[in-house]
Amino acid sequence: MAVSTMDSEQGRTPKPQVALTNAGQLPAGALSARLGPQGKHYVCGSIAAFTNIVVTFPIQKVLFRQQLHGVLATEAVRQLQRDGLRNLYRGLLPPLLQKSTTVAIMFGLYEDFSRVLLDRAGSSGLPELLTRSFAAALAGTAEAILTPFERVQTLLQDHRHHGRFNNTAHTFRTLLTEYGVRECYRGLVPILLRNGPSNVLFFGLRGPIKEQLPEATSRAGHLVNDFVCGGVLGAALGIMFYPLNVVKSRAQSQVGGAFQPCRMVLLTVWRERGGSLAMLFRGAHLNYHRSLLSWGIINATYELLLKLT
């Protein structure tokens, strides 16, 4: 097929160099020439994630408390109020570094893997959709190398560890010197189970969803469509993989001791919450809205930056 479902939105987007040249805003392809044809995907993804984290971090902190303790949003907010304003952005640096890098990897490696795999699969007759799905899964798996940032973020957001870990550098240093590198990768399995499949669905459905939206005729219209497309996908995937995030938060809140299998951690949480599916998904409602906002910001900012380059 001429255009795969994973890239179908590209067929509806004006070429950025032409648009900007006509508008007289930037020399055509100036930034792209500096970054290289693929490098811009990494930079645009990183800036998009940075913007998102700064805006949505307080919401993420409320959500984390719900995942960890199974409390209502009002109780989670009260916990943060008791912690004080100066602790509201405590733990910001790890997600800022982690998300900026992982989203850069997500978009950049997806483009790189797709290009390489499509070149190699050209004569094999493999469907382009299958090839791009594999590229998305590889990119998601590669993101898991940054698990230590999620690990440190979890410890800094957990009020039970406020007296033990001072900041990002101190937390990393403590984990490495007292427990070793392996401790930094606690919670790796649920992250791997989450990243690969979610990437496949995100890149696979992004184009078809955008095609169902009213066709944009202006830059503002494209921005809105990209926000809606990314937000709807992010919110749906956030609900789908929510139990894995609960398992990850529980596993990573532990310091030292045996590494429990993913299924054992899930079973423990299930028993503690009375075998209630509603309790297991406690916080999912807030997660839905946070993901809607987060992935709307990321997707819209990423696509806007691509056009600007």
Side-chain angles (χ1 to χ4, degrees):
M1 54 185 171
V3 180
S4 75
T5 54
M6 285 195 163
D7 283 338
S8 57
E9 77 263 34
Q10 293 177 0
R12 297 178 52 187
T13 304
K15 291 184 179 180
Q17 287 97 338
V18 176
L20 289 175
T21 300
N22 293 339
Q25 295 176 12
L26 287 172
L31 184 56
S32 295
R34 288 191 176 190
L35 297 174
Q38 280 75 46
K40 65 179 182 179
H41 294 284
Y42 291 93
V43 174
C44 293
S46 181
I47 296 173
F50 182 96
T51 304
N52 161 63
I53 287 296
V54 171
V55 172
T56 64
F57 185 75
I59 303 174
Q60 168 60 32
K61 205 156 189 180
V62 172
L63 175 63
F64 168 76
R65 295 292 175 89
Q66 290 191 274
Q67 290 176 341
L68 188 60
H69 304 300
V71 296
L72 293 171
T74 51
E75 173 57 27
V77 170
R78 279 196 289 268
Q79 287 183 8
L80 295 182
Q81 288 175 334
R82 288 194 293 268
D83 291 343
L85 188 60
R86 71 186 186 90
N87 284 319
L88 180 61
Y89 274 86
R90 175 183 165 90
L92 174 66
L93 185 58
L96 206 58
L97 296 174
Q98 183 259 347
K99 200 68 178 178
S100 297
T101 308
T102 56
V103 174
I105 290 173
M106 174 184 170
F107 284 106
L109 282 186
Y110 169 69
E111 294 293 334
D112 287 345
F113 283 141
S114 293
R115 187 182 69 258
V116 172
L117 292 174
L118 286 171
D119 287 343
R120 293 181 177 265
S123 59
S124 65
L126 284 175
E128 185 175 347
L129 178 61
L130 180 62
T131 304
R132 288 188 177 275
S133 295
F134 187 53
L138 285 176
T141 302
E143 293 173 43
I145 196 173
L146 297 170
T147 293
F149 287 110
E150 288 196 52
R151 172 76 164 118
V152 170
Q153 177 189 354
T154 298
L155 293 175
L156 288 175
Q157 288 185 348
D158 188 349
H159 66 281
R160 296 173 301 181
H161 296 299
H162 280 186
R164 182 173 185 184
F165 300 112
N166 300 328
N167 50 45
T168 300
H170 179 254
T171 307
F172 269 122
R173 188 166 59 249
T174 302
L175 292 178
L176 289 171
T177 55
E178 295 185 13
Y179 301 97
V181 175
R182 186 168 181 262
E183 184 67 28
C184 293
Y185 280 88
R186 190 183 288 271
L188 176 62
V189 173
I191 289 174
L192 285 171
L193 293 174
R194 176 196 68 190
N195 283 9
S198 64
N199 265 20
V200 171
L201 292 171
F202 181 83
F203 286 111
L205 296 175
R206 196 165 57 135
I209 289 176
K210 188 171 182 179
E211 287 180 345
Q212 300 304 311
L213 299 175
E215 187 166 0
T217 56
S218 65
R219 178 168 292 177
H222 280 290
L223 195 65
V224 171
N225 280 2
D226 289 327
F227 181 90
V228 171
C229 173
V232 168
L233 258 178
L237 294 175
I239 294 294
M240 186 181 301
F241 293 98
Y242 190 79
L244 285 174
N245 282 322
V246 172
V247 170
K248 177 196 75 74
S249 295
R250 172 57 66 90
Q252 291 187 335
S253 67
Q254 178 183 341
V255 181
F259 278 60
Q260 289 188 317
C262 188
R263 57 184 176 79
M264 290 299 298
V265 178
L266 180 60
L267 186 59
T268 299
V269 174
W270 177 260
R271 287 171 176 167
E272 287 179 357
R273 300 185 183 182
S276 168
L277 195 62
M279 288 293 289
L280 180 64
F281 275 83
R282 175 64 60 83
H285 183 264
L286 180 60
N287 183 68
Y288 175 88
H289 291 92
R290 182 196 65 85
S291 297
L292 187 70
L293 178 62
S294 293
W295 282 102
I297 292 173
I298 288 173
N299 197 54
T301 306
Y302 172 78
E303 294 293 342
L304 176 63
L305 291 172
L306 280 184
K307 291 178 178 67
L308 293 177
T309 58

